[in-house]
Amino acid sequence: MDTSTSTSTTASPATSFSHVREGDTEFESGGLRDFFLYRDLGIAAATGGQVVAHLVKANMAPEVGTGWHRHEANFHIVYMLKGWARFMYGDKETLVKAGDCVHQRPGIVHFLFDYSEDMEYLEIVSPAAFTSIDMPAPCAVPAPTPWVKSG
């Protein structure tokens, strides 16, 4: 009877366990868009740059939006946690509400042009160091909904 043990390993980039608790990271400016705040969830560091996951929330009322662009990415989803956002995907307007998930296929030309004051979403993208490339407008974009000022 053979009692030897054989193990095989597959070469892969180093990854690590990560547990980021609420309060471990704060929402910060300085992300891709200045009108949003971003909270790092530690996934880029844990995956050696294979994937980024962060929370994104509204910081200022929509005025100009993201502009028409596409991403150099292999995988990109947006899961809306709170509020809503209106995107243009090509010439199609898409309302994304809390509980909705959007898979943005690689290279899709889009424009986030409107969002609620309480908008917050989880964004997961691979690779972590994805790029955004400005693109020509395929169509006109509706005006954003003004936020109601209290007081």
Side-chain angles (χ1 to χ4, degrees):
M1 176 189 230
D2 183 5
T3 59
S4 63
T5 308
S6 172
T7 58
S8 65
T9 59
T10 305
S12 65
T15 61
S16 62
F17 176 80
S18 176
H19 179 185
V20 174
R21 294 170 187 83
E22 185 174 8
D24 285 352
T25 58
E26 299 295 325
F27 279 98
E28 298 177 347
S29 59
L32 188 59
R33 312 286 178 202
D34 63 356
F35 42 86
F36 292 154
L37 296 174
Y38 299 82
R39 181 173 166 237
D40 180 38
L41 298 176
I43 304 304
T47 64
Q50 294 178 72
V51 177
V52 64
H54 50 236
L55 297 176
V56 180
K57 73 177 182 176
N59 184 38
M60 297 178 217
E63 292 178 4
V64 296
T66 63
W68 287 102
H69 65 284
R70 66 179 178 82
H71 299 293
E72 287 287 322
N74 300 320
F75 176 80
H76 190 159
I77 64 167
V78 169
Y79 181 80
M80 193 64 61
L81 297 166
K82 298 177 188 173
W84 55 267
R86 291 193 300 159
F87 292 80
M88 294 296 297
Y89 288 104
D91 63 356
K92 182 181 176 196
E93 183 177 334
T94 303
L95 174 64
V96 181
K97 301 181 294 186
D100 293 356
C101 184
V102 173
H103 172 252
Q104 294 182 174
R105 69 167 170 74
I108 191 168
V109 176
H110 60 286
F111 190 133
L112 191 165
F113 67 93
D114 195 12
Y115 47 88
S116 62
E117 194 167 354
D118 64 340
M119 182 210 73
E120 185 176 326
Y121 62 84
L122 169 67
E123 182 173 51
I124 302 172
V125 187
S126 177
F130 70 96
T131 58
S132 291
I133 299 167
D134 292 340
M135 298 298 291
C139 65
V141 176
T145 307
W147 288 357
V148 177
K149 294 183 179 167
S150 59

